[in-house]
Structures are given as structure tokens and as C-alpha cells.
Amino acid sequence: MNKPKIVVLGAGYAGLTATRKLAQKLSPEEAEIVLINKHNYHYEATWLHEVAAGTINHNQARYMISDVVNPKRVRLIYDTVVEVKTEDQRVVLENSEVEYDYLVFALGFVTNTFGIKGMEDNAFFIQDIDSARIIREHIEYKFAQYSSGESTDESDLTVLVGGGGFTGIEFVGELAEKIPELCKKYDIPRNKARIINVEAAPSILPVFEEDLVAYAKKSLEDRGVEFRIGAAISECTEEGFIVGEDNELIKAGTSVWTGGVMGSPVLGKSGFEVFRGKVNVDADLRLPGSENVFIIGDCSWTMDKETGKPYPPTGQLATQEGAHVAANIKNALYGLPLTDFVFDNKGTVASLGISDGIGNILNGVKLQGKPAAAMKKVVDDRTLLVVGGPKALLKKGKYRPF
Ligand code: FAD
Ligand code: NAD
């Protein structure tokens, strides 16, 4: 009998964890494992706001997949997934095709513009290493142009961030560190450079309690971040965002949209039923009606049975789902029942720059300031260890013992 072939799509938190766990749980005689990813590296999507601001180098936020997955055990294919054909158990890639017996679909998120006019063409997105890197370069280019006299438009020194959820707020926190540095480097008075966050809802970061939100807002304002709260963005032009009921144009040299995410467009292309950008999966993480296709991480909604609502899509959730899928595939191979996924929420922390943050951990312990920032680095390092193993932690960890 042929060995079962397990194909994992995507080497993000979900896919890389699933692959490494499968390789640990199954011997080469029990199953063939294939991992397909667009690039030869895994990146820390949760650090992309730092790459975009330039507070860390993009190389710190990525590591080679072949450093943490044994290529002799797992066949590594670096190619772009175009479509999944479930009817004949086949994945179409840009350059070839791969058949599977079991499929783990973990292609992650892309930015969702909700069809807002001009957003695709004129705004920058924080969605992978390259898109984040371009933002850092663009901001610095605008500062250099102004400094050399090539531009005399002071709004070129404005960075406009649309969306005051986690990504938008963590990004302005990093900008509050980086912009003063750029002002010094290009000899520009600090008060000429602006960082503006625009949020449609009545509050930024609605996940947190009011006192933590108030702390975050004041801390960022004290470091020069301006807020336009309760102001919806209706359009993005080459000049900036059109905001609020009176259609005010806020001009900026750099406009970044952080207003939301959705699952990979490959879901829709493959004919999966998509709700608000993702697939509703069964409690065992399988595509409804399918025996052998699992959809995890930011590509699926997984229901919290206690609240009846889906868990918010996070790296923490994606990692736990990756581990669960590996266990369920092993069960399936041996004809054992699959188990339901239950999320073990370890808490939430948002950074507000290098040494500030807010958080809720361990069922209700609130953190703010330096302890929250330290906790965020602990979480970042723990993720490196859990997803990539000791080698990833030693090479890319934020706390370095030597
Ligand atoms: P991803 O991390 O998106 O990985 C998908 C992988 O698939 C990537 O390697 C990608 O290159 C690859 N891929 C995509 N399309 C294709 C294709 N067509 N073909 C081949 N390969 C492909 N969550 C937290 O829990 N804590 C945080 O602090 C946190 N901070 C965040 C900060 C930012 C700036 C952002 C944007 C998100 C943050 N999140 C955080 C959310 C978290 O990053 C996501 O929930 C998580 O990345 C989802 O993991 P994933 O494995 O599903 O997908
Ligand atoms: P989000 O959906 O959480 O936030 C988007 C924000 O943009 C919302 O506050 C929304 O009201 C606002 N918005 C939407 N349309 C708008 C408009 N037209 N004008 C102005 N504002 C508008 O998206 P995100 O911040 O990118 O986060 C995506 C996911 O990643 C979330 O599930 C989040 O939990 C996770 N994440 C977690 C962390 C963390 O744990 N530290 C960090 C980043 C992201």
C-alpha cells in the first residue's frame, strides 16, 4: 500500500507548527509530509509593524524554513499556491501540481480593504515582509526628499494610519520611536513630522477595558501621536485619506491601511464557502463535508462553544490549531476518532513602542507600561520556541543572553 501523503500549505504559525508536529509524531514509514510555502523563509507576522516602522530589521523577523524543518524528512516546495481542487485531491501551484491524501490549508491573512475606493492603489499594507519593508523605505524616502529640498510639502512628513485596532496602534507605537530618529538623521524639526491614527469606531483597541485604552491613548499622545476617533475613512487618494462626514482630506506622504484582514484569496478560488473572508470549520478543524481537508489559522473561523462566537484570529490561536491538526491527522491515519479543538487563551498584549504596552493575561491580570512591554517580548520569544524550536529562538530571540 502507498504511504499516505500529507500536504501542508503555508509556513506561517499554523502551517509550520503543523508540519513540525507531524514530523515528530509520524515516522517516514508512516506518512510522507510535504510543506509548500511562497518563500524559503518563515516570518513573524506578529512583528511586521516593527519591520514597517523600521524599529527592527526585516531579517530579524524571518528565518529559513530548512533551518527548523529537516528537508530529509519533509519535502519542502517553495512555490505559490494558486488553487486547491478537492474533487481530485490536487493542489495547483504556479510552477507544478501536487496530489494529497490529507491537506492542511494554512495560507494565512491578507489585508482587507472592504472595497474602499482608492485603497488598493494608494495605501500601503502591513501583510508580509516585503509589504512592510516598502513602508519603512517609503517613509525614509519622503524624509530624505524633504531634507534635500526636493520636496517643500510638509505633509510629506506625515504618516497616516487608517484603523485603530491592534495592528494600527502597535504600528503608531513603533512610529513614535522611529520618527524622532528620522527627524534627527535628516535635520528636520520634530514638530513638522506628524503621526495620525484614524479610527471609525468610538474607541481604539475595543478589546481592552476603558482604563487600559485611556492609558494607551495618553501614552501615545504624549509621544506625538494624533488621533481622529469616530472618523470613518471613505476613500484613499494619492494625497491621503478622505475622512468623516464632511469628507475632509487628511494629507500625508505615507498612508497605511490597517483596517482589517481576511483569509487567503485562494480559499475563494478553490470554491470553498467563505464568510467574512474565512471558512467556518467543524470543531475538529475540518472543512465541513470533507474527510481529509483541514483549514486553520487566519483562513478559518473556529467557534468558541462558550460564547458561541468565533475566536479572534491570532498567532496564538493559529499555533495551537497547527498542533491540534497534527494530532488529528495521526488519529485519522489510525482510524481513531478526531478530537474537537479547544483554545487555551494565554491572554493578549499590545505593544506601544519598544518599552511600553498594555495587556490582559492569566484571566484578568492587567498590565501596562514596562511590564506589558517585557511580557510582549516574552510572548514573542515563546512563539519562536514553540513554532520554530530552540534554533529559531537562539537566532532571532528578542532577549539575548550574550
Ligand atoms: P500567516 O502568519 O499569515 O502565514 C501564512 C504563510 O503562508 C506565510 O508564510 C505566507 O508566505 C504563506 N502564503 C500565503 N499565501 C501563499 C500562497 N498563495 N502560496 C504559498 N504560500 C503562501 N497575533 C497574536 O497572537 N499576537 C500578536 O502580538 C499579533 N501581532 C500582530 C501584529 C501584526 C502587525 C499583524 C499584521 C498581525 C498580528 N497578529 C498577532 C495576528 C497574527 O499575525 C495572525 O493571526 C497569524 O499570522 C496567523 O497565522 P497563520 O499561520 O494563519 O498565517
Ligand atoms: P482589526 O479588524 O482588529 O482592526 C481594524 C480597525 O480598523 C478596527 O478598529 C476598525 O474599526 C477600523 N476600521 C475599519 N474600517 C475603517 C474605516 N473605514 N475607517 C476607519 N477605521 C476603520 O484588524 P487588525 O488590527 O489588523 O488585526 C487583525 C487581527 O490580528 C485581529 O484579530 C487582531 O486580534 C490580531 N492582532 C493581534 C495583535 C496582538 O495580539 N498584539 C496585534 C495585531 C493584530
Side-chain angles (χ1 to χ4, degrees):
M1 195 186 105
N2 282 344
K3 262 192 294 188
K5 184 167 171 183
I6 306 165
V7 174
V8 180
L9 307 182
Y13 297 103
L16 187 54
T17 305
T19 305
R20 282 171 44 87
K21 293 279 179 198
L22 282 165
Q24 282 163 14
K25 284 174 184 293
L26 296 169
S27 70
E29 291 70 37
E30 288 174 292
E32 181 185 349
I33 306 168
V34 180
L35 173 62
I36 301 171
N37 194 61
K38 208 183 267 187
H39 308 106
N40 60 358
Y41 58 82
H42 160 93
Y43 55 86
E44 294 301 302
T46 60
W47 303 6
L48 286 177
H49 55 293
E50 296 163 79
V51 176
T55 45
I56 63 170
N57 181 279
H58 58 274
N59 282 326
Q60 195 188 333
R62 65 178 173 184
Y63 51 84
M64 301 300 283
I65 295 167
S66 57
D67 273 353
V68 300
V69 173
N70 180 358
K72 289 189 185 136
R73 173 66 189 98
V74 176
R75 188 169 148 221
L76 299 173
I77 300 179
Y78 304 128
D79 202 347
T80 299
V81 178
V82 177
E83 188 182 353
V84 175
K85 301 228 179 230
T86 46
E87 61 285 4
D88 44 5
Q89 304 200 163
R90 196 157 50 90
V91 182
V92 181
L93 309 178
E94 263 177 17
N95 300 299
S96 65
E97 294 197 351
V98 178
E99 292 185 341
Y100 63 83
D101 297 303
Y102 291 91
L103 185 74
V104 179
F105 192 113
L107 293 177
F109 70 91
V110 293
T111 301
N112 191 350
T113 64
F114 305 103
I116 294 175
K117 195 173 162 198
M119 205 54 94
E120 287 285 346
D121 294 333
N122 299 311
F124 291 97
F125 302 152
I126 302 180
Q127 60 181 4
D128 56 24
I129 288 280
D130 289 337
S131 65
R133 209 173 147 179
I134 288 169
I135 296 173
R136 183 201 76 205
E137 284 165 8
H138 183 83
I139 295 171
E140 182 146 4
Y141 173 65
K142 287 287 167 188
F143 273 64
Q145 268 189 323
Y146 187 85
S147 169
S148 68
E150 203 181 316
S151 158
T152 50
D153 184 354
E154 225 172 275
S155 69
D156 272 349
L157 303 174
T158 297
V159 184
L160 194 49
V161 181
F166 276 94
T167 303
I169 295 305
E170 290 199 317
F171 179 48
V172 295
E174 296 304 311
L175 289 173
E177 310 272 352
K178 187 68 186 182
I179 295 298
E181 245 180 59
L182 288 178
C183 287
K184 247 191 196 161
K185 181 171 172 186
Y186 290 98
D187 203 16
I188 293 168
R190 171 67 187 92
N191 60 5
K192 285 193 173 187
R194 298 172 72 193
I195 306 164
I196 308 174
N197 181 259
V198 185
E199 167 57 51
S203 167
I204 56 166
L205 290 175
V207 170
F208 290 107
E209 292 91 336
E210 267 176 39
D211 54 337
L212 287 179
V213 173
Y215 171 87
K217 189 163 171 280
K218 181 168 184 320
S219 164
L220 290 168
E221 280 172 339
D222 287 349
R223 285 179 282 147
V225 177
E226 300 167 47
F227 287 98
R228 295 291 299 273
I229 292 174
I233 299 163
S234 54
E235 188 180 342
C236 180
T237 72
E238 276 178 21
E239 288 185 303
F241 290 148
I242 309 274
V243 169
E245 282 174 7
D246 50 357
N247 291 328
E248 180 197 350
L249 169 68
I250 306 180
K251 288 178 78 180
T254 310
S255 306
V256 182
W257 172 248
T258 58
V261 295
M262 61 182 192
S264 163
V266 178
L267 291 168
K269 242 186 141 208
S270 305
F272 300 144
E273 205 173 344
V274 173
F275 302 90
R276 292 187 295 122
K278 296 161 200 249
V279 171
N280 285 331
V281 288
D282 290 339
D284 57 18
L285 304 178
R286 276 188 296 195
L287 172 71
S290 168
E291 289 287 315
N292 59 347
V293 176
F294 296 79
I295 306 184
I296 56 173
D298 272 21
C299 283
S300 64
W301 295 115
T302 316
M303 222 40 86
D304 179 347
K305 282 183 189 152
E306 268 179 33
T307 63
K309 288 186 191 157
Y311 297 115
T314 61
Q316 191 189 161
L317 178 70
T319 306
Q320 291 182 26
E321 289 183 349
H324 194 82
V325 150
N328 262 351
I329 289 180
K330 181 160 185 181
N331 284 355
L333 286 179
Y334 285 94
L336 298 170
L338 305 202
T339 60
D340 289 353
F341 173 77
V342 181
F343 179 45
D344 175 17
N345 191 351
K346 308 234 184 283
T348 307
V349 187
S351 62
L352 303 168
I354 291 164
S355 54
D356 200 3
I358 54 173
N360 255 322
I361 54 161
L362 306 170
N363 287 329
V365 176
K366 286 188 199 175
L367 294 176
Q368 63 184 48
K370 283 199 170 71
M375 181 54 72
K376 187 80 197 289
K377 290 186 178 68
V378 170
V379 173
D380 286 349
D381 279 2
R382 184 178 178 275
T383 305
L384 283 171
L385 182 66
V386 172
V387 178
K391 206 163 173 183
L393 175 63
L394 278 172
K395 279 195 165 175
K396 306 292 170 175
K398 289 188 170 172
Y399 277 126
R400 283 160 184 262
F402 41 79

